[in-house]
Amino acid sequence: MKLSLKIFLGICIPLIIALVLISNILIRKSFSNDIRDEKIRGIQEFHFMEENIENAFWQSTVSSEVIIKSYADYYKENGLYLIYYENGREIYTSNTLIDLEDSELLNVSENDVKTQNKTFKGEHFLVISTMLSNGSVLVYARNIDSIYHIRTDLMNLSIILIVSIVVIVAVIAYIIAKTLTNPLRKMQTEMGKLSKGNFDIHLKEGRSEVGSLAKSFNKMSEELKNRDEELLDLVNSKQEFIDNLSHEINTPLTTILGYTELLERADCTEEQKIRFLESIKKETLRIKNIHQNLLLLSYKKNADLEMKRIDSQEIFDNVRDTTKVKVAEHQIDLVITNRIKEFYGDPTLIVMCISNLVSNAIHASKDGSKIIVDSYEDSKNVYVKVIDEGQGISKENIEKIVEPFYRVDKARSRKNGGAGLGLAICTSIMKMHHGNMKIESEIGVGSTFYLEFPKNLQL
Ligand code: ADP
């Protein structure tokens, strides 16, 4: 059964039952009160009449039938009737409708009064009887139709009232049921959309239970949407990674294959052979380099890290050592300023990260340029800045260069032996150290790479 129907019936059915019960009890109560009052009044009236008739029997010489008749005629106009019995035989009646033959009412003793409600041919009477001092039975009957009419009127009125109240309440219950269930219905529709992969959902929020349910629902769909987008990004970037990787490996392999075919030719001079072999070696080294870098990129389990406190001077000495060939080759003025005490992390990876940045700075700078490696610290972090005065990086490229295999100038980068993995590795190393890498750059002015290592890192 639908919730709206349940709410509707839940309001209407108890209301109908309550109204019918209450009106029934009230009508019954009022009816029995009326009957009781009528009886009290009737008995008082009957005693008064009985006394008068007894006196008249004593004082008058006319027959008892005549006396009764004169009283009966007098009261008849007010809906009061007298019936008179002698020796069980009806002597006189002022209403022929009333038939008391074999009735308990006639079986009455002196000083005893019997009362009954009786119906004759659809008319209702309060009937009272007693035995007079002469042994005859006097019966008094009062028409009480008006009490029954009042009860019928009350019943009709209560039916009209109940129907009106139920109609009004039914309309209100319908509106309430609809108002309460509408948000749930909407939620159900949106759930259907959600199950089909449409996460663009916004339900009206509120303070009620349904409103906060809508809030949670919105939050959940937002979360699912983000997850979906993340998943899509991941799938895309994985695919991109595989495409780039296959391209990066395919290029040197094609070159190697070409030189091998040339070497197979018989007309190659010794000098040519040496040149071809050198090229084959260079391309093979490139593949080896890519392989090593890929290993590094996947080397990201914290358990594999050799985390320790390292004297910062040791790190910077190693950086200088690693980059000295390139620095000399390009006559770079490499200035390293050590203003920190120590690093906390894996020394091999930290040296690799800073050296990578210095190496990139050398490739981006003109021969004879200056490159600064600056370092400083605050209470939370240790910072390293690698500043060059090279060609700079455009805004749109700044975000992309950290992606694996991305290179701004492919030909130039390839000439330097890069496969676009250096900055991806740096980013990965910084993540392993729960640190950060930021880039600021301006075309033609130079670039600054910021490394931020958290100090209180206890892995
Ligand atoms: P690669 O190994 O090819 O150098 P990286 O990931 O280290 O790859 O760098 C990606 C690209 O970012 C490089 O090809 C280069 O174009 C650009 N880049 C990196 N560092 C700098 C820099 N200091 N100045 C200008 N361009 C840079």
Side-chain angles (χ1 to χ4, degrees):
M1 198 196 279
K2 278 188 169 182
L3 182 63
S4 53
L5 189 60
K6 276 187 190 167
I7 296 172
F8 179 76
L9 294 179
I11 295 173
C12 290
I13 292 176
L15 179 81
I16 294 171
I17 294 172
L19 286 175
V20 170
L21 278 178
I22 291 169
S23 62
N24 209 305
I25 290 167
L26 288 178
I27 291 168
R28 272 167 188 271
K29 182 83 185 142
S30 133
F31 179 73
S32 65
N33 282 349
D34 287 351
I35 292 285
R36 191 197 58 212
D37 294 348
E38 201 60 36
K39 207 179 258 180
I40 293 168
R41 196 154 67 97
I43 288 171
Q44 281 171 355
E45 214 167 33
F46 179 66
H47 280 313
F48 175 73
M49 219 182 276
E50 181 199 353
E51 212 178 301
N52 286 339
I53 289 170
E54 286 273 24
N55 285 337
F57 277 1
W58 282 112
Q59 288 162 11
S60 176
T61 50
V62 292
S63 73
S64 51
E65 187 187 343
V66 175
I67 295 168
I68 297 289
K69 187 176 180 308
S70 68
Y71 274 96
D73 287 344
Y74 175 74
Y75 286 112
K76 200 174 179 178
E77 282 168 21
N78 303 323
L80 281 176
Y81 307 99
L82 290 178
I83 307 113
Y84 184 63
Y85 294 87
E86 273 182 7
N87 301 323
R89 203 164 54 84
E90 185 185 291
I91 302 297
Y92 174 76
T93 178
S94 58
N95 190 334
T96 50
L97 272 182
I98 301 164
D99 178 12
L100 296 175
E101 206 176 328
D102 300 332
S103 167
E104 259 302 293
L105 286 159
L106 299 182
N107 194 12
V108 68
S109 56
E110 207 175 336
N111 299 327
D112 183 20
V113 173
K114 281 193 175 171
T115 60
Q116 266 183 19
N117 289 341
K118 285 200 157 284
T119 308
F120 303 105
K121 300 215 166 121
E123 286 191 38
H124 302 91
F125 294 91
L126 166 70
V127 187
I128 308 171
S129 65
T130 192
M131 182 183 268
L132 298 178
S133 51
N134 64 359
S136 58
V137 174
L138 178 67
V139 177
Y140 160 104
R142 172 186 274 277
N143 187 305
I144 50 169
D145 271 351
S146 61
I147 295 175
Y148 283 84
H149 286 152
I150 289 171
R151 188 176 69 165
T152 312
D153 288 349
L154 279 176
M155 275 176 160
N156 290 339
L157 189 69
S158 77
I159 289 169
I160 293 169
L161 272 175
I162 290 172
V163 170
S164 319
I165 292 172
V166 167
V167 168
I168 293 168
V169 172
V171 171
I172 295 170
Y174 178 80
I175 294 168
I176 292 174
K178 282 280 161 201
T179 319
L180 285 181
T181 54
N182 260 350
L184 293 176
R185 243 195 310 280
K186 175 108 175 90
M187 221 173 265
Q188 196 183 25
T189 320
E190 300 297 281
M191 274 283 190
K193 280 196 211 164
L194 197 72
S195 65
K196 284 178 189 149
N198 179 357
F199 302 112
D200 242 347
I201 280 163
H202 191 77
L203 290 168
K204 206 170 153 214
E205 296 177 6
R207 284 196 191 166
S208 66
E209 288 83 350
V210 180
S212 40
L213 187 66
K215 200 172 170 183
S216 314
F217 190 74
N218 286 341
K219 218 169 152 191
M220 183 187 81
S221 64
E222 187 71 28
E223 195 70 23
L224 283 174
K225 193 178 169 185
N226 291 343
R227 293 260 170 95
D228 190 54
E229 280 168 6
E230 272 171 26
L231 210 66
L232 206 69
D233 282 353
L234 196 73
V235 170
N236 285 342
S237 65
K238 271 202 171 163
Q239 187 56 46
E240 208 177 318
F241 183 86
I242 291 166
D243 291 349
N244 285 327
L245 178 64
S246 88
H247 175 76
E248 285 307 320
I249 291 179
N250 192 40
T251 315
L253 280 180
T254 314
T255 317
I256 291 170
L257 197 67
Y259 284 123
T260 327
E261 278 167 4
L262 284 174
L263 277 175
E264 279 171 352
R265 278 168 44 180
D267 56 350
C268 268
T269 63
E270 252 340 275
E271 200 185 315
Q272 277 176 322
K273 276 184 187 168
I274 291 169
R275 213 159 27 90
F276 293 161
L277 278 173
E278 264 173 12
S279 298
I280 289 173
K281 190 179 169 193
K282 202 175 140 203
E283 294 306 310
T284 313
L285 279 174
R286 179 187 294 284
I287 295 177
K288 193 168 183 279
N289 191 25
I290 291 174
H291 174 248
Q292 269 173 352
N293 283 334
L294 284 176
L295 276 184
L296 253 167
L297 265 181
S298 61
Y299 168 47
K300 55 176 174 282
K301 301 282 169 286
N302 287 340
D304 298 336
L305 297 182
E306 196 199 327
M307 299 300 284
K308 57 181 186 187
R309 302 200 176 280
I310 325 123
D311 182 355
S312 55
Q313 197 52 51
E314 205 179 301
I315 295 283
F316 291 126
D317 287 348
N318 270 317
V319 170
R320 195 177 279 285
D321 215 37
T322 319
T323 54
K324 72 174 178 221
V325 177
K326 272 188 190 160
V327 166
E329 194 185 327
H330 297 277
Q331 301 101 49
I332 296 294
D333 176 14
L334 179 63
V335 181
I336 299 180
T337 319
N338 182 9
R339 290 191 276 151
I340 54 176
K341 244 174 64 201
E342 58 181 19
F343 282 95
Y344 181 74
D346 185 313
T348 319
L349 295 182
I350 296 176
V351 170
M352 181 179 289
C353 182
I354 302 172
S355 304
N356 247 337
L357 298 183
V358 172
S359 175
N360 278 350
I362 296 172
H363 293 144
S365 305
K366 287 195 185 112
D367 287 359
S369 303
K370 186 176 185 176
I371 292 171
I372 301 169
V373 177
D374 191 12
S375 59
Y376 53 98
E377 63 187 315
D378 59 21
S379 56
K380 284 186 191 159
N381 301 308
V382 162
Y383 304 91
V384 176
K385 278 203 282 186
V386 179
I387 311 160
D388 68 56
E389 299 163 346
Q391 66 197 44
I393 313 154
S394 68
K395 276 210 168 55
E396 62 268 22
N397 277 325
I398 283 183
E399 279 174 23
K400 292 180 191 161
I401 54 172
V402 290
E403 289 168 16
F405 300 112
Y406 189 85
R407 286 161 300 184
V408 178
D409 183 346
K410 280 210 176 195
R412 190 180 163 140
S413 184
R414 225 180 116 68
K415 210 177 97 209
N416 295 323
L421 290 171
L423 290 180
I425 288 170
C426 288
T427 312
S428 179
I429 291 173
M430 292 316 290
K431 261 193 200 155
M432 289 182 223
H433 286 81
H434 294 259
N436 225 334
M437 183 171 81
K438 278 189 276 179
I439 308 167
E440 274 176 18
S441 187
E442 205 176 319
I443 294 282
V445 177
S447 314
T448 304
F449 284 71
Y450 295 85
L451 301 179
E452 191 180 294
F453 295 88
K455 259 185 174 175
N456 302 319
L457 181 70
Q458 297 295 331
L459 294 175

